[in-house]
Amino acid sequence: MVASGPAASAGASAAARAFPLAAITGHGTLKLALLLAAVDPGLGGVVIAGGRGTGKSVLARGLHALLPPIDVLDLGPTGGGTVPGQPLPAGLNIDPQCPGDWDEATRRRLTDLGADPTGSDPASLLPTKVIPAPFVQVPLGITEDRLVGSVDVTASLASGQAVFQPGLLAEAHRGVLYVDELNLLDDNITNLLLAAVGSGENRIEREGLSLSHPCRCLLIATFNPEEGAVRDHLLDRFAICLSANQVLDLEQRVEISRAAIEHAETSDRFRAKWQEDSDALATQLLLARQWLPDVQISREQIAYLVNEALRGGVEGHRSELYAVRVARAHAALSGRDRVEADDLQVAVRLVIAPRASQLPPPDPDQPLEPPPPPPPPPQGEQPPEDPEPPENEQEPDEPDDDNEPDDQDDDTPEDQAPPQVPEEFLLDPEAVAIDPDLLLFGAAKAKTGGSGSRAVVFSDSRGRYVKPMLPRGPVKRIAVDATLRAAAPYQKSRREREPHRKVVVEDGDLRAKQLQRKAGALVIFL
C-alpha cells in the first residue's frame, strides 16, 4: 500500500528536501548517536549543543529522511467516523501490531468496519495504510493545549459531548519530535514534554477529559549555550548529550560550502549523488531495528558499565540504564546478537563520560608518585654498588626459548573470540581525552556558568499567557478559549432551556488566565 493524504505527502516532501545525512562533513560522533537513537527510539533522546550555523537542525532532518515508513490503522478520513455520539480515537499513527495501545473508540471503530477489535484473529484483515514517519517540530510559543491536546470545540458542539483534539505529542507518535532552542522553551512545556516521552504515554486530565494515548517517539533537541543554559536535571533526562562544535580545516570548510551550494541549486542531482550511501544507511537502520530485540547483554557487562558510572561519580541510575540500551543498539547496528567490548566502550563515551563529575580514584596497587631517590652518601664514602648475580644464575628477563610450546603460532587472531568486556576502564585518571565533542560540550556548559534560569512569577494580572486555570475568587482576565471549550459539550441542553441565546456560558465554565513573567532583581550598590 502507498501513503496517502496531505500528512503523508507533506512528510514525504519534507524528507525529500532534507540534506542527506551521509553527505554531512564531519560530525562522526553525532551521526553515530543519532543512528543509535533511531535504532531504539525509546532510548531517551539526543540533545545537541552548538553555536550558530553548526548544522544542528540539518543533522536532525537528515536522520528523519532515513527512517522507514510506518504502517498505521486506517479508520476513515477523520480517524473515527462521523457517527453522532461515537468518540474519536485519542491517539494518532495507531500501530496495527500493538493491540494493547488501542483505546475503546478505536476498537469500536474497527468493529463497525468489520475487523477484529482485539487483534487476536489473524484472519481478520485490519484496515491499514503506509505513511512516512512523522517529523513534528515544537515551536517556541506553543501552549499546553496544543502540546498535549484539548477539547475540540467544533466537534463538541456537533456531537453534544466532549471530543478530544490530539496535540503535537500524538502527532509525533512513532516518528521524530524535534525541539529547537530547548533552552528558550517554557519550563512547564519542557516538563510536560519530557514526562510524556519518558513514560511513552500522554495522559490528559483536564476540562472534563480523562484519557491517554501512546507517545513513543524519537526526541531530538538542540540549543545554543550562548543564548542560555539548560537545567542539569533536564539534560539528565536525555540519554546522549553532545556538542556540534567541531574544529575543521580549510578543505573541510570549503567542502561544506560547495555541498550546501550544490544542494540549494540542484537538490535532485545532489540527492541522486548520495542516494546509494543513503539507501545503505536506511537498510542498515531497518535491519538493526529488527535485530535489536534479540541482542543479549551479560551481567558482567552490565557490572562494567555500572563500575564506570561509579568511577565517574555519576548521580542516579539513568546513566547505566541508558548505557545498556546504547550498547545493545550499537551491537544491533553492527549486525551482532551479543554485546561486545566495543559496544560497551561506545556506551561509556556517549552516555557515562559526559555525565562524569569527578576523576575516578587511582588504583591502590599503583603508587601515587614515584619513590623518592635515596639520600646521598656521607662525604668520603662511596655509594653501595648493586650486587652482581652469580655466574651460574640465569637472567630472569631472558626466557628460555626451548621451553616454549610448539603450537603457540597456531593461535591466530581469527581463532580468538572477541573480548566481552574491555580490558581496562575508559575513565582513568591518567587517560587522555576520550572525545573532543564531549569536552566541547562540557566546556560550553561551564562557560555559561552552569545550569539554572532566572526565577519566574505567576500572576493573574500581567505577564505572558501560559495556561488556563480554575479561578480562585473573582476572575480578572478570562481565558476565552478554555471557557468556550468547557462550555461546548453542554450547549445542546442549555439551548433547549434558553433558545434565544446561541452560546450559553455559566459560572462553572469560567476559566482564568495564568500569566507568567520574569522575577525582578534588586541590586544594591554600596
Side-chain angles (χ1 to χ4, degrees), residues 32-37 39-40 42-46 238-241 292 295 297 305 318-334 336 339-340 342-352 355:
L32 174 61
L34 291 174
L35 288 174
L36 295 177
V39 171
D40 185 5
L43 187 145
V46 178
F238 291 85
I240 302 175
C241 304
L292 180 62
V295 176
I297 183 170
L305 295 176
R318 285 197 178 101
S319 59
E320 50 259 33
L321 295 178
Y322 290 150
V324 169
R325 302 193 70 155
V326 167
R328 294 180 68 245
H330 189 267
L333 193 65
S334 304
R336 298 190 298 268
V339 174
E340 296 181 359
D342 295 340
D343 308 320
L344 300 179
Q345 291 177 345
V346 170
V348 172
R349 288 198 299 266
L350 295 181
V351 180
I352 298 179
R355 289 174 164 82

Side-chain angles (χ1 to χ4, degrees), residues 179-504:
V179 183
D180 195 10
E181 306 296 343
L182 177 67
N183 53 336
L184 304 182
L185 199 63
D186 181 74
D187 293 341
N188 184 45
I189 296 295
T190 306
N191 295 334
L192 291 174
L193 187 148
L194 292 178
V197 175
S199 62
E201 182 184 24
N202 179 33
R203 291 204 59 86
I204 300 96
E205 299 286 347
R206 51 184 303 168
E207 300 169 357
L209 294 174
S210 179
L211 47 90
S212 64
H213 64 80
C215 177
R216 291 187 288 273
C217 55
L218 169 57
L219 179 59
I220 303 176
T222 60
F223 74 98
N224 185 357
E226 297 177 358
E227 298 177 355
V230 179
R231 292 173 291 171
D232 286 341
H233 85 277
L234 293 183
L235 290 179
D236 189 56
R237 301 289 291 272
F238 291 85
I240 302 175
C241 304
L242 296 176
S243 173
N245 298 330
Q246 55 180 348
V247 180
L248 302 175
D249 55 20
L250 176 62
E251 294 297 329
Q252 290 176 320
R253 296 180 71 101
V254 171
E255 184 62 28
I256 292 175
S257 301
R258 291 182 57 186
I261 294 174
E262 186 179 354
H263 179 263
E265 294 179 350
T266 57
S267 58
D268 295 338
R269 187 187 309 170
F270 184 80
R271 285 192 300 271
K273 175 182 177 182
W274 293 92
Q275 188 65 39
E276 184 177 354
D277 295 338
S278 299
D279 292 343
L281 283 177
T283 303
Q284 184 181 9
L285 178 60
L286 181 62
L287 295 176
R289 283 188 171 186
Q290 298 176 356
W291 291 331
L292 180 62
D294 300 329
V295 176
Q296 303 294 328
I297 183 170
S298 64
R299 180 183 177 86
E300 182 185 7
Q301 293 170 334
I302 298 178
Y304 172 82
L305 295 176
V306 174
N307 202 352
E308 285 280 38
L310 293 176
R311 290 167 60 86
V314 182
E315 298 180 1
H317 303 285
R318 285 197 178 101
S319 59
E320 50 259 33
L321 295 178
Y322 290 150
V324 169
R325 302 193 70 155
V326 167
R328 294 180 68 245
H330 189 267
L333 193 65
S334 304
R336 298 190 298 268
D337 59 353
R338 288 186 178 276
V339 174
E340 296 181 359
D342 295 340
D343 308 320
L344 300 179
Q345 291 177 345
V346 170
V348 172
R349 288 198 299 266
L350 295 181
V351 180
I352 298 179
R355 289 174 164 82
S357 59
Q358 65 183 18
L359 285 176
D363 190 353
D365 297 335
Q366 299 292 333
L368 298 178
E369 56 185 12
Q379 294 182 358
E381 295 184 7
Q382 297 294 332
E385 298 180 357
D386 295 336
E388 296 182 358
E391 296 181 356
N392 57 353
E393 184 178 349
Q394 295 182 355
E395 295 290 339
D397 295 335
E398 296 180 0
D400 189 4
D401 296 338
D402 298 337
N403 298 330
E404 293 183 358
D406 298 335
D407 56 349
Q408 182 177 2
D409 296 334
D410 297 338
D411 293 336
T412 58
E414 289 77 5
D415 299 334
Q416 299 176 0
Q420 300 298 317
V421 177
E423 297 179 357
E424 57 185 8
F425 290 101
L426 293 181
L427 294 180
D428 195 320
E430 300 179 357
V432 297
I434 296 177
D435 196 318
D437 292 340
L438 307 181
L439 297 181
L440 284 172
F441 177 80
K445 188 171 70 171
K447 184 179 179 181
T448 59
S451 63
S453 59
R454 189 177 173 184
V456 296
V457 175
F458 294 100
S459 172
D460 57 356
S461 58
R462 61 191 183 96
R464 185 173 68 89
Y465 177 30
V466 178
K467 65 177 181 178
M469 58 180 296
L470 292 174
R472 301 187 184 97
V475 180
K476 296 182 179 179
R477 301 186 65 176
I478 298 178
V480 180
D481 53 345
T483 301
L484 291 178
R485 285 195 298 268
Y490 312 103
Q491 292 305 304
K492 279 191 175 183
S493 58
R494 293 177 183 177
R495 287 200 205 102
E496 293 177 357
R497 299 194 306 264
E498 303 179 48
H500 59 283
R501 298 177 61 181
K502 294 184 178 180
V503 179
V504 183

Side-chain angles (χ1 to χ4, degrees), residues 88 90 145-146 148-153 163-167 170 209 485:
L88 301 178
D145 299 337
R146 184 69 184 99
V148 302
S150 60
V151 174
D152 190 340
V153 177
V163 177
F164 176 67
Q165 182 179 12
L209 294 174
R485 285 195 298 268

